[in-house]
Amino acid sequence: MRFPLTWDAPTARERGPIVATVNSGAHRNAIGAHGGPYVLYRALAVSARALDPLRLPDLHNTAPVVPIGPFPQWSEPGRIVALDPWGHRVAEDFAGEIAEGIDIRPSIAVTRARLTIPEIASAISLGRLRADGHIVRDGCEIATTKIAIEPVWHLPGIAKRFDISERELRRTLFEETSGMYPELVTRPDMPVFLPPAGSTTVYMFGDVTKLGKSETRIALRVHDECNGSDVFGSDICTCRPYLTHGIEGAAAMAQQGGVGIIVYNRKEGRALGEVTKFLVYNARKRQEGGDQAATYFARTECVAGVQDARFQQMMPDVIHWLGIRRVDQHFSMSNMKHDALVASGIDVVERVPIPDDLIPADARVEMEAKKAAGYFAADGALDEASLAGIVGRSVDES
């Protein structure tokens, strides 16, 4: 193999490029394909003869708008196993190989944008946030650095983090995808897998060049997708209110000279999917006595067989990728997320709950169910469930 991979190497050159395109031939050293679930749409485009499968992307002028890293965490063993820390620097680090015609593609992109969020205008009018003309513009615009990250799994590292054998992990991935990736069980020399899983988007507010510096204060909200609430405003849960509350806190931290971060993971319906989520909604509302906190989690398990399939053990990788070792404000009431961050070596100084007046009336059942289950730790300390113990049974707000 021309490009063997040394995952925790200190430089991209020493680590080696990840080559996962189907036209790479003998150069291919990873299982799966770029694009996550969108690879199937690429297949349709190829089959419809709208896309040449041999076409190489032109990466001219696609470089990150601001530099991210490298940070020491990129080469600390086991610290990052669910994304390629060098994935945004492909055109820079492997320019020679790309010029040679080898199809090496970025798995991370960094750009700038403005967010327009009505709740920010409300926060300004109520005096909770100020329009400074730089980070928070007039009205409800916020300037942000936006990062898209495709999942890139280092299988030996993933297996170790979940305390299972790599062989068992590969076999289960192979079986549960109906044999979609035979290389999982036939090519143990390929340690990297690009799964057809949802991506992560990071929104950062403030001067991102301050990342990795111990004096930089960090505000963080890790949010798992809830399309109904986040986009369409469904009030059966606290997802959009907590998301906008986190954005407000992240913007305020940036105005104070720190960096605010929103990590948005595509894990709809606790990674069980929207169909399962809506089936559970029906089951909850149609049960005798109506929707109840006492049966809130049981109805999910009855339909899906598990209460939550997100397993936050891989979530901290993006925080390590950003060079962060301390989070000053964590906008989350979830023990599951808190425990995962702390267990990975990140110091969490303060946990910020959602204000009571932001909880929709129809979401009270959800909140009461979580309180009754001991899901929140009001004092910010670890609860009695260890990180290993919560796998497969804990639940989380989005």
Side-chain angles (χ1 to χ4, degrees):
M1 185 180 294
R2 178 178 174 182
F3 300 113
L5 296 173
T6 304
W7 185 256
D8 294 318
T11 68
R13 299 296 307 179
E14 293 173 274
R15 198 283 306 278
I18 291 175
V19 186
T21 48
V22 295
N23 58 4
S24 299
H27 296 140
R28 184 176 171 85
N29 63 4
I31 306 163
H34 288 284
Y38 298 103
V39 69
L40 298 178
Y41 291 102
R42 172 184 168 85
L44 286 176
V46 171
S47 65
R49 293 177 175 79
L51 175 64
D52 178 2
L54 300 181
R55 181 187 178 278
L56 300 179
D58 180 358
L59 298 178
H60 180 64
N61 281 340
T62 64
V65 295
V66 291
I68 303 291
F71 296 113
Q73 291 95 319
W74 294 12
S75 58
E76 292 175 0
R79 191 72 74 187
I80 298 175
V81 299
L83 60 89
D84 174 12
W86 306 95
H88 57 310
R89 295 166 47 105
V90 164
E92 171 187 353
D93 293 328
F94 300 105
E97 287 80 1
I98 292 173
E100 184 186 331
I102 298 173
D103 195 353
I104 305 172
R105 303 194 181 189
S107 60
I108 300 175
V110 184
T111 189
R112 285 196 180 96
R114 294 183 184 180
L115 303 183
T116 302
I117 302 173
E119 288 89 342
I120 294 302
S122 176
I124 293 172
S125 67
L126 293 172
R128 297 199 308 262
L129 196 65
R130 61 186 174 86
D132 60 281
H134 175 55
I135 294 167
V136 180
R137 314 294 174 89
D138 291 335
C140 52
E141 276 192 353
I142 307 179
T144 184
T145 299
K146 186 164 61 172
I147 304 173
I149 305 173
E150 292 180 359
V152 177
W153 290 2
H154 181 239
L155 294 174
I158 296 283
K160 185 174 182 180
R161 189 168 295 184
F162 281 85
D163 194 26
I164 57 177
S165 71
E166 183 185 346
R167 181 177 180 179
E168 179 183 0
L169 174 63
R170 285 174 173 267
R171 172 60 64 178
T172 305
L173 289 171
F174 172 75
E175 292 175 348
E176 292 300 317
T177 57
S178 296
M180 188 183 298
Y181 301 98
E183 292 164 313
L184 285 166
V185 291
T186 62
R187 294 293 304 273
D189 59 319
M190 289 186 174
V192 169
F193 176 42
L194 279 62
S199 59
T200 295
T201 307
V202 180
Y203 297 87
M204 297 195 296
F205 311 96
D207 184 357
V208 300
T209 64
K210 294 181 178 180
L211 290 171
K213 299 178 180 178
S214 60
E215 67 271 19
T216 301
R217 299 187 72 238
I218 300 293
L220 171 68
R221 166 69 184 168
V222 177
H223 191 92
D224 291 332
E225 179 181 28
C226 178
N227 184 63
S229 179
D230 297 342
V231 178
F232 293 101
S234 168
D235 62 356
I236 198 171
C237 61
T238 59
C239 296
R240 181 179 174 90
Y242 220 143
L243 175 60
T244 58
H245 176 53
I247 292 172
E248 179 183 330
M253 179 62 80
Q255 290 180 328
Q256 298 164 21
V259 177
I261 301 170
I262 304 294
V263 177
Y264 194 92
N265 294 312
R266 267 65 180 195
K267 296 180 179 179
E268 178 66 63
R270 301 182 190 142
L272 298 170
E274 215 167 26
V275 169
T276 295
K277 177 194 278 191
F278 290 3
L279 293 174
V280 171
Y281 285 167
N282 287 345
R284 282 169 49 192
K285 293 175 181 179
R286 289 171 175 167
Q287 65 187 338
E288 186 177 351
D291 198 7
Q292 305 169 46
T295 57
Y296 177 87
F297 298 135
R299 296 310 302 153
T300 300
E301 193 163 0
C302 285
V303 174
V306 64
Q307 293 179 0
D308 196 320
R310 285 171 295 178
F311 310 134
Q312 301 287 356
Q313 285 93 324
M314 293 188 290
M315 174 269 289
D317 286 32
V318 67
I319 312 303
H320 291 299
W321 177 68
L322 293 170
I324 295 168
R325 298 191 188 275
R326 185 195 70 251
V327 171
D328 297 275
Q329 292 182 323
H330 184 208
F331 285 77
S332 174
M333 297 165 70
S334 163
N335 291 333
M336 193 174 179
K337 292 174 183 173
H338 174 86
D339 293 358
L341 290 170
V342 172
S344 75
I346 296 170
D347 180 25
V348 177
V349 178
E350 177 189 4
R351 297 169 71 173
V352 183
I354 185 172
D356 190 67
D357 61 356
L358 291 183
I359 301 174
D362 282 353
R364 296 287 172 179
V365 170
E366 174 195 52
M367 298 301 285
E368 290 304 317
K370 290 176 178 177
K371 290 177 182 177
Y375 187 64
F376 304 141
D379 61 359
L382 296 179
D383 73 320
E384 68 275 10
S386 67
L387 184 60
I390 61 177
V391 173
R393 61 180 177 83
S394 284
V395 290
D396 194 7
E397 96 281 355
S398 285

